[in-house]
Amino acid sequence: ARIDAEEVAARLARETAAAEAAQPIAPVEEPAVEAEAESEPAVAQMLADAMAGHGDPDEALDLTDLDPELVDIFVEEGGDLLDHSDGLLAALREAPGEREHLIGMQRDLHTLKGGARMAGLAPIGDLSHAMESLLDAISENRRVMDRITVESLERGFDRLHGLVQRVAKRQAIAMPAHAIARFEGLVSGDLPVTER
């Protein structure tokens, strides 16, 4: 019975997300449409589940195959890149058609991905790659910059910040499979909800 309940919940969340994805981003000052407001908690929960730090190990970061100095350099540069991207995303929310902000975030994520992979931090590199792929799809007009996309990017950047902070504290990090699947689903149009 549990599997059936999860399948029903996943299908309902996918249908809600698909309906939301068709909506353009509403400017902050405009009142929300009543139907949209009713479904926002379900969408917000779906995003939170996909981007949350499920499964981060409660142990120290294994530095056996890592260069601690390279990890420290990555943490410093990664934090700067993510702070810069946060500003670009806020500007993009205000002006969704502004390509300079989109290109800047693509560049930041590409650099973050390369740095993470060079430092041996695959979870950060893989999530950065998935987010970069979504921005590529938007840049190539295969995906629109709707409210769900913006909220997913915001959650993704929050998750990246969390992963970088864990590395800075020498805490182990898990592969953010739920978040990566979310971005892959946004690129393909499937909008999957993965089980926890």
Side-chain angles (χ1 to χ4, degrees):
R2 180 182 166 182
I3 293 174
D4 292 340
E6 289 177 354
E7 286 175 1
V8 170
R11 186 170 56 247
L12 179 61
R14 277 195 302 274
E15 289 169 2
T16 301
E20 287 288 325
Q23 302 280 336
I25 302 170
V28 177
E29 64 273 10
E30 285 185 17
V33 177
E34 189 175 323
E36 205 173 276
E38 289 173 7
S39 64
E40 280 184 16
V43 173
Q45 185 60 50
M46 179 178 64
L47 289 170
D49 288 346
M51 302 299 171
H54 299 302
D56 277 329
D58 189 21
E59 56 192 51
L61 181 66
D62 182 3
L63 293 169
T64 306
D65 297 323
L66 304 179
D67 178 343
E69 191 173 320
L70 194 57
V71 169
D72 288 339
I73 292 169
F74 168 76
V75 165
E76 185 176 339
E77 292 180 355
D80 291 344
L81 287 166
L82 290 171
D83 289 343
H84 184 252
S85 284
D86 286 344
L88 291 173
L89 186 57
L92 191 65
R93 185 182 257 286
E94 297 300 317
E98 185 58 56
R99 292 193 62 80
E100 283 184 33
H101 304 316
L102 183 67
I103 291 167
M105 281 193 299
Q106 285 175 288
R107 189 178 305 118
D108 287 348
L109 285 167
H110 186 75
T111 305
L112 186 70
K113 173 183 70 177
R117 289 180 173 170
M118 187 178 298
L121 302 167
I124 297 172
D126 289 1
L127 179 54
S128 300
H129 175 71
M131 293 173 66
E132 183 187 7
S133 295
L134 176 59
L135 293 175
D136 289 344
I138 294 165
S139 181
E140 295 165 5
N141 297 315
R142 292 182 285 118
R143 172 87 195 175
V144 296
M145 182 61 84
D146 59 8
R147 189 174 53 78
I148 296 298
T149 304
V150 172
E151 288 180 8
S152 296
L153 287 167
E154 288 171 345
R155 295 275 187 168
F157 279 116
D158 287 347
R159 184 74 176 110
L160 285 172
H161 273 291
L163 290 169
V164 170
Q165 288 169 6
R166 287 183 66 84
V167 170
K169 296 174 187 174
R170 295 298 195 256
Q171 295 173 321
I173 57 175
M175 184 61 70
H178 297 94
I180 290 168
R182 172 70 185 171
F183 286 108
E184 289 172 349
L186 286 167
V187 171
S188 68
D190 293 339
L191 298 171
V193 178
T194 55
E195 295 177 7
R196 287 204 243 179

